[in-house]
Amino acid sequence: MSESHSLAAHYHQALRDDAVLEQIKRHYPDGATPFQLAPLDQLHIGGLKASMRLFERLDPVGQPRVLDIGAGLGGLVRLGASLGFTMTGLDITHRFNVLNRKIGQLTAPGADYTVVTGDARRLPLSHDSFDAVIFQHSLMNMPALAPVLEEAHRVLRPGGRLVLHELTRGNRRVALQYPVPWAASAEHTHLLTLEALLTRLRTCGFMELEVKNVSDEARAWRARQSDKEQVTAAPVLSPQWVFGERFAAMGKNLLTNLTNRAIEVVEIEGRC
């Protein structure tokens, strides 16, 4: 099995496509808000608030055309569209993209966004076609980072913005605990240290890099989520609709890795 197919299998092996849509129809017949969908389609540390911070760095007038690489179920693209951006979401997992479109048809039928299935190393997109590119918890699944960043640079217009909300390798003396949401084992984990990531970004042509470490906030958020997940009443939507029963262990290990500082959470902004 190729690495891309293996990665896709990790993400969709427990995905309950039809059940997700039925759950949304049953509980939100008039459409769901980004907040209501967040437990399902904001599958990153920090949830909806973390996504809002990314768009606060951009301007829908000055930087309207935004590409989200690693869009998953589309939480970020739908949020961006609701804020006035013209969004394109790209993901290598085709089933995610199909479900992304169907969720959008149910909850945001007038939203201005496009969904593309593709490999971030070979973007099926034109040169200079975006004002901003966002990576949100995507790079840790990408073993060949240089071509990914070069492609992001290629599709950005001169002066375009790069915005990242990503995981980096923290204390290397502490072993990562698996499974986690992005990987069942070390096979699909390609975390860099912050220093190495910044070096790659500069090498690929990004400048004026600004970094904010949000690990403490991320750890507190994950701890609150863990407490919520202990309640007996099943939520309307949750990561279990994507990851199945595996998510109990994933969530626990995620908090352990954050607490042990085996991983850090950073926001990075740069210019093309």
Side-chain angles (χ1 to χ4, degrees):
M1 183 183 294
S2 69
E3 176 147 6
S4 60
H5 283 88
S6 177
L7 178 61
H10 165 74
Y11 280 110
H12 66 52
Q13 64 178 274
L15 183 60
R16 300 164 61 189
D17 313 58
D18 293 339
V20 164
L21 296 172
E22 287 303 316
Q23 186 80 339
I24 294 172
K25 290 177 185 177
R26 183 183 310 116
H27 290 274
Y28 307 117
D30 298 323
T33 66
F35 178 79
Q36 290 166 331
L37 288 174
L40 173 77
D41 67 7
Q42 300 280 343
L43 294 177
H44 51 261
I45 302 169
L48 191 62
K49 183 178 179 181
S51 295
M52 286 295 299
R53 285 202 306 269
L54 298 181
F55 288 113
E56 289 169 359
R57 297 173 178 269
L58 302 173
D59 174 15
V61 176
Q63 295 128 352
R65 302 167 301 168
V66 180
L67 171 64
D68 174 20
I69 297 181
L73 293 181
L76 193 68
V77 292
R78 279 187 291 277
L79 177 62
S82 74
L83 297 172
F85 294 91
T86 300
M87 299 294 302
T88 298
L90 177 136
D91 203 280
I92 200 169
T93 305
H94 185 62
R95 277 181 64 189
F96 271 7
N97 295 328
V98 171
L99 185 53
N100 179 355
R101 292 188 187 98
K102 291 180 178 179
I103 293 172
Q105 290 165 4
L106 282 177
T107 64
D112 186 8
Y113 77 93
T114 302
V115 181
V116 179
T117 298
D119 190 325
R121 296 169 295 184
R122 297 178 293 276
L123 294 175
L125 303 164
S126 302
H127 288 65
D128 305 340
S129 54
F130 292 94
D131 302 299
V133 171
I134 293 177
F135 289 93
Q136 187 173 41
H137 285 34
S138 303
L139 296 180
M140 71 273 197
N141 278 141
M142 299 180 180
L145 195 54
V148 171
L149 296 178
E150 288 166 1
E151 280 288 271
H153 193 282
R154 178 183 67 80
V155 301
L156 274 171
R157 65 167 173 79
R161 311 301 296 183
L162 178 76
V163 182
L164 277 65
H165 174 224
E166 286 291 340
L167 301 182
T168 59
R169 190 68 166 98
N171 186 344
R172 299 187 67 86
R173 294 174 294 179
V174 178
L176 282 171
Q177 301 297 308
Y178 293 98
V180 285
W182 70 89
S185 66
E187 177 187 5
H188 293 307
T189 291
H190 303 285
L191 291 174
L192 297 176
T193 64
L194 176 59
E195 294 74 15
L197 176 55
L198 293 175
T199 297
R200 297 283 182 90
L201 289 167
R202 294 186 182 104
T203 300
C204 291
F206 294 101
M207 60 188 77
E208 299 179 9
L209 299 175
E210 299 178 4
V211 181
K212 182 179 181 181
N213 190 311
V214 294
S215 298
D216 289 341
E217 181 177 337
R219 188 163 40 255
W221 177 87
R222 182 58 229 165
R224 292 194 300 271
Q225 295 304 112
S226 295
D227 289 341
K228 292 178 184 177
E229 290 156 9
Q230 302 306 311
V231 300
T232 55
V236 173
L237 296 171
S238 80
Q240 285 198 353
W241 292 86
V242 178
F243 296 112
E245 296 304 319
R246 299 177 299 163
F247 186 72
M250 289 175 172
K252 178 181 178 182
N253 290 334
L254 189 56
L255 181 56
T256 297
N257 291 327
L258 286 164
T259 301
N260 293 343
R261 297 195 177 273
I263 57 175
E264 301 280 339
V265 185
V266 297
E267 295 174 357
I268 302 174
E269 182 180 352
R271 183 170 66 85
C272 176

